[in-house]
Amino acid sequence: MKKIQISPSILSANFSQLGNEIKKLEEGGADMIHIDVMDGHFVPNLTIGPPVIKALRQYTKLPFDVHLMISPVHKYIQDYADAGADIITIHPEATDNLKDSINHIKKLNKKVGISLNPKTKINVITDFLNEIDLILIMSVNPGFGGQKFLPEVLDKIKELKKIRDQKNLDFDIEIDGGINFDNSKLAIEAGANILVSGTTIFKNNDGNIKKNIDLLKSS
Ligand code: DX5
Ligand code: ZN
């Protein structure tokens, strides 16, 4: 079984203190930092872009797990690689040619992540499974932190795990949206090995980040 890793989303952090918040996440045992990039077009919300990510790079050596909710995504991939992303995750709906975008990320020596919205089916990516390092299963409709977990996506995770075993592949399965101390266990049992969490990590137990990360890890 793959090691369970926690990728806290800085979407729920104090945006006036992002550098310090990232340091706290590292001290609290985070395995990577999940950065939600939204463009007000692919999703209704607007967040941060490459200059902010570049400025944050100095605060930690942890991998930057960059979740791009922007469209068209292809022409911006290089900018996120240059800013310091380690994993670049894109949505299939946000590019005209998924194969080209995957190859572009690989050529930049970054890990390739593909994100599936709650309604997006696995068959969209079946042809590319060999090329993908990580599949990010959305358990809310992307756009905002603090939404309610959609349990129906657990079946998709189970199916992906089955396919990974059958085909002897090695991609990570990450889950994103509404993860809390109750459903984290269900996500792991289904086959997720990376848990993204914003609200639960930053707001629970009076914002005790270390405690919240520990609790999620021991789900
Ligand atoms: C939603 C984002 C998530 C979200 C996670 O579009 O991709 O990363 O911010 O936050 P919580 O854990 O609050 O659902
Ligand atoms: Zn995300």
Side-chain angles (χ1 to χ4, degrees), residues 182-195:
D182 298 322
N183 57 35
S184 52
K185 193 174 187 311
L186 300 175
I188 292 168
E189 277 170 4
N193 65 293
I194 306 176
L195 307 181

Side-chain angles (χ1 to χ4, degrees), residues 135-152:
I135 299 174
L136 176 63
I137 296 296
M138 292 307 302
S139 39
V140 297
N141 286 303
F144 298 93
Q147 299 184 76
K148 199 168 167 291
F149 180 78
L150 299 171
E152 58 268 29

Side-chain angles (χ1 to χ4, degrees), residues 30-163:
D31 296 284
M32 55 188 94
I33 306 292
H34 188 83
I35 302 178
D36 286 306
V37 176
M38 304 184 186
D39 66 353
H41 166 71
F42 184 70
V43 290
N45 201 2
L46 190 61
T47 57
I48 60 172
V52 177
I53 296 176
K54 191 166 181 224
L56 293 175
R57 198 50 285 189
Q58 62 181 299
Y59 288 91
T60 181
K61 291 208 159 46
L62 289 179
F64 275 0
D65 171 28
V66 176
H67 178 192
L68 296 180
M69 288 161 273
I70 63 175
S71 163
V73 69
H74 191 87
K75 64 177 171 182
Y76 295 109
I77 287 171
Q78 173 96 49
D79 293 344
Y80 288 92
D82 293 345
D86 297 283
I87 304 165
I88 298 183
T89 295
I90 63 173
H91 285 252
E93 297 87 352
T95 179
D96 290 337
N97 191 323
L98 185 56
K99 193 173 171 36
D100 281 356
S101 295
I102 289 173
N103 288 340
H104 187 32
I105 299 172
K106 282 170 94 84
K107 281 208 188 98
L108 293 164
N109 283 319
K110 304 298 176 186
K111 286 195 172 175
V112 177
I114 302 293
S115 181
L116 301 182
N117 280 344
K119 290 219 159 63
T120 306
K121 301 240 160 47
I122 295 176
N123 61 18
V124 174
I125 53 166
T126 335
D127 289 349
F128 310 110
L129 288 175
N130 275 321
E131 319 291 328
I132 296 173
D133 297 295
L134 174 152
I135 299 174
L136 176 63
I137 296 296
M138 292 307 302
S139 39
V140 297
N141 286 303
F144 298 93
Q147 299 184 76
K148 199 168 167 291
F149 180 78
L150 299 171
E152 58 268 29
V153 307
L154 292 172
D155 284 343
K156 198 151 50 175
I157 293 180
K158 286 181 195 154
E159 181 64 23
L160 273 174
K161 186 169 184 274
K162 208 164 103 191
I163 296 173

Side-chain angles (χ1 to χ4, degrees), residues 17-32:
Q17 301 283 325
L18 277 181
N20 284 337
E21 296 278 69
I22 283 179
K23 277 191 181 163
K24 277 195 246 165
L25 291 172
E26 180 164 7
E27 284 160 15
D31 296 284
M32 55 188 94

Side-chain angles (χ1 to χ4, degrees), residues 151-212:
E152 58 268 29
V153 307
L154 292 172
D155 284 343
K156 198 151 50 175
I157 293 180
K158 286 181 195 154
E159 181 64 23
L160 273 174
K161 186 169 184 274
K162 208 164 103 191
I163 296 173
R164 185 177 68 193
D165 292 346
Q166 280 166 354
K167 300 197 170 182
N168 220 356
L169 295 168
D170 193 40
F171 54 79
D172 287 308
I173 303 176
E174 182 174 31
I175 185 162
D176 183 9
I179 291 291
N180 58 34
F181 301 129
D182 298 322
N183 57 35
S184 52
K185 193 174 187 311
L186 300 175
I188 292 168
E189 277 170 4
N193 65 293
I194 306 176
L195 307 181
V196 175
S197 163
T199 309
T200 294
I201 286 178
F202 284 98
K203 311 282 185 215
N204 266 272
N205 293 308
D206 296 321
N208 186 334
I209 287 174
K210 183 172 174 7
K211 184 171 181 181
N212 295 332

